[in-house]
Amino acid sequence: MNKKITKEEAKELILNNRSRIFSVLFTKKDGSKRQMNARLDVKKDIKGLGLKYNPSDFNYIIAFDMAKKNYRTINVNTLEKLRLNKKEYNIKI
């Protein structure tokens, strides 16, 4: 059975997950869905330039997509499902 949690609870779980792999399902800016296996704290290919904005201002999380081998932005506002530590969560709308 999947537990229902809020978007803020999901964000906290992801941020406190450290560098372990997790899965998310969310809606991208163009309206399509993205299923992604990701990790935080990946330092690969970082050039030191940084972002031109603060992701937390928009309720975004920057994560490393394990399949695409690149960084992606997770929009917490459109998060639907989260799976980490062998537990699945549905996000309350």
Side-chain angles (χ1 to χ4, degrees):
M1 184 170 123
N2 295 349
K3 183 178 177 186
K4 286 198 175 271
I5 59 174
T6 66
K7 292 173 185 171
E8 284 306 311
E9 289 172 320
K11 185 177 181 179
E12 286 300 313
L13 284 171
I14 292 169
L15 294 176
N16 292 328
N17 192 42
R18 306 298 304 153
S19 62
R20 292 187 298 249
I21 297 172
F22 61 93
S23 297
V24 290
L25 174 66
F26 63 97
T27 304
K28 298 181 346 182
K29 190 183 266 189
D30 67 4
S32 63
K33 303 277 186 197
R34 172 170 279 159
Q35 170 79 41
M36 181 169 72
N37 293 325
R39 280 181 48 192
L40 300 181
D41 298 334
V42 175
K43 305 295 184 211
K44 182 182 178 201
D45 296 329
I46 292 180
K47 308 262 188 301
L49 301 174
L51 296 171
K52 295 186 185 333
Y53 67 96
N54 184 353
S56 62
D57 290 348
F58 300 95
N59 212 15
Y60 294 163
I61 297 172
I62 307 300
F64 188 80
D65 186 328
M66 303 301 289
K68 300 211 186 261
K69 303 285 187 221
N70 209 337
Y71 297 91
R72 296 288 184 253
T73 301
I74 300 169
N75 186 347
V76 177
N77 301 313
T78 63
L79 202 56
E80 295 178 29
K81 293 188 179 199
L82 168 64
R83 183 166 193 241
L84 59 89
N85 298 328
K86 299 181 184 174
K87 295 179 185 168
E88 289 192 24
Y89 302 94
N90 287 326
I91 311 304
K92 296 177 190 173
I93 297 173

